[in-house]
Amino acid sequence: MATETDEVPLNAIRVFVTIAREGSVTRAASALRMTQSSVSRYLAVLQEYLGSDLMQRRGRRSELTEFGRLFANTVAEPLDTVCFTAKRMRRRNRRDTNRIVVRTSLSTFAYAFLIPNLQAFSNEMGGVVVDVISSLSQPTSSDDYDILITRDLSVIEPADDWEIYNEQLVCVGSPNHVDGKSLPVVRTVPILNITSRPDIMPTWLRAMNLTPKDIKSGARYDHNYLALPAVMTGKCLLVAPEIIVSDLVRGGALNVIPRSRTPSGMQYRAYAVDRGDNPEMSRAFCRWLVRLCKKTALADGIRLS
């Protein structure tokens, strides 16, 4: 049994707070990148130290006990403060200040548009290094990044933000299959489905005064960046954000079907968090990205008009 002189198991507390937030040992293990057995051992250590159960079984599910809920609510905020302060102090002492970390939930936007243009920003800013990470999870104040680019996530900490792009949708295909064709081509050539963006097709169809019965449905892909090679080489079409196909259209790899352009209602935003390593560089990056997106959107508008 634990005694009053026992050392407080801080790692076990951190693991338990993650269990409480994630709602299960399994999800906590995934979030912490640990095995479920390791998470369970930390939970057992903390329960032994506190002398009380923190979790209880409810049928096939586990949930917090009343004591566990009280303990999690009491320690979660102070633990976040400790983690946040430690990371901030560590960053202050890092020597590599000529680097920023960009996190984005827009993987295809990063692949097709952002990353190909990063060298221009680096050259403009004297060789700054831009690290890019992709994640669909909601960011927290303890995550290591300077800038978030997203259309669907929110920032819960102080940050400056910019509207970088109001998403436009277009229908594209390889020149061999759509050159000289008009919108009725969608009735005979399959349109690829993107499962990570189930909103795109209904939005586009409504704008085109079409129904799902009016088109020929094609293969399914998780993300647009997986579908791009297919539409460039196969007999199929793709309805996608215009900004991610712009370079391919300008280079002649894809053609935009006339009169297929419509706004999606989605807005891309960039957030520069206050706790970043180099806040001035982060803000400069966001301003540069706004200019780049506006320039691209203007060029696309002129090309399609």
Side-chain angles (χ1 to χ4, degrees):
M1 293 293 294
T3 68
E4 293 184 358
T5 59
D6 288 341
E7 184 177 349
V8 177
L10 294 178
N11 283 335
I13 293 174
R14 180 175 68 90
V15 169
F16 172 67
V17 168
T18 305
I19 294 173
R21 284 176 173 164
E22 297 294 329
S24 76
V25 169
T26 301
R27 288 195 290 272
S30 177
L32 294 167
R33 298 180 181 179
M34 297 170 60
T35 64
Q36 290 187 45
S37 59
S38 295
V39 171
S40 296
R41 283 196 297 272
Y42 276 117
L43 177 61
V45 166
L46 184 58
Q47 289 183 147
E48 182 180 358
Y49 178 84
L50 295 172
S52 180
D53 289 337
L54 299 169
M55 305 284 293
Q56 61 187 355
R57 297 291 299 180
R58 293 287 188 184
R60 294 184 178 181
R61 300 181 58 187
S62 295
E63 61 182 38
L64 298 178
T65 63
E66 187 61 32
F67 180 84
R69 189 175 297 106
L70 175 62
F71 185 75
N73 290 340
T74 302
V75 302
E77 185 174 346
L79 185 62
D80 283 345
T81 301
V82 170
C83 292
F84 172 77
T85 303
K87 283 205 166 192
R88 191 163 190 171
M89 296 303 294
R90 179 178 64 86
R91 291 189 180 108
R92 285 181 178 177
N93 291 321
R94 285 196 340 201
R95 295 181 180 180
D96 189 5
T97 58
N98 200 35
R99 179 185 297 266
I100 55 176
V101 178
V102 176
R103 172 175 172 157
T104 181
S105 63
L106 309 175
S107 56
T108 307
F109 174 81
Y111 165 80
F113 181 79
L114 176 62
I115 293 174
N117 286 289
L118 285 182
Q119 190 58 51
F121 174 75
S122 179
N123 293 341
E124 183 179 320
M125 302 304 293
V128 63
V129 176
V130 181
D131 298 333
V132 180
I133 56 176
S134 177
S135 175
L136 295 176
S137 62
Q138 187 70 37
T140 69
S141 58
S142 62
D143 292 339
D144 191 4
Y145 69 95
D146 301 290
I147 299 157
L148 174 68
I149 301 172
T150 185
R151 69 166 183 275
D152 47 8
L153 302 178
S154 58
V155 175
I156 59 173
E157 57 182 303
D160 294 331
D161 69 286
W162 288 260
E163 173 189 318
I164 60 175
Y165 179 64
N166 287 309
E167 190 177 67
Q168 302 289 318
L169 303 177
V170 290
C171 185
V172 296
S174 70
N176 292 337
H177 297 116
V178 303
D179 191 24
K181 304 287 181 62
S182 59
L183 196 58
V185 71
V186 303
R187 299 179 184 272
T188 57
V189 179
I191 301 181
L192 302 179
N193 291 283
I194 308 302
T195 57
S196 64
R197 287 293 306 271
D199 59 298
I200 282 183
M201 282 306 299
T203 299
W204 185 80
L205 288 173
R206 283 195 300 270
M208 298 298 112
N209 292 317
L210 297 170
T211 71
K213 295 181 179 179
D214 296 323
I215 64 171
K216 189 174 182 180
S217 184
R220 296 179 182 275
Y221 291 87
D222 284 345
H223 300 284
N224 276 306
Y225 68 82
L226 298 175
L228 289 175
V231 75
M232 285 189 288
T233 59
K235 189 176 181 180
C236 54
L237 304 174
L238 176 67
V239 176
E242 185 177 32
I243 200 164
I244 70 170
V245 298
S246 292
D247 284 348
L248 296 172
V249 171
R250 281 192 289 271
L254 293 174
N255 277 5
V256 175
I257 295 175
R259 301 181 184 275
S260 70
R261 188 175 192 244
T262 186
S264 73
M266 290 288 185
Q267 186 182 81
Y268 299 178
R269 302 192 72 83
Y271 299 85
V273 294
D274 287 357
R275 60 175 169 80
D277 292 345
N278 195 333
E280 288 306 317
M281 185 68 73
S282 297
R283 295 183 185 104
F285 177 88
C286 292
R287 290 191 291 268
W288 167 82
L289 187 57
V290 169
R291 295 194 302 271
L292 180 65
C293 289
K294 284 184 177 178
K295 180 180 177 181
T296 301
L298 178 61
D300 290 336
I302 292 173
R303 175 171 49 77
L304 289 174
S305 63

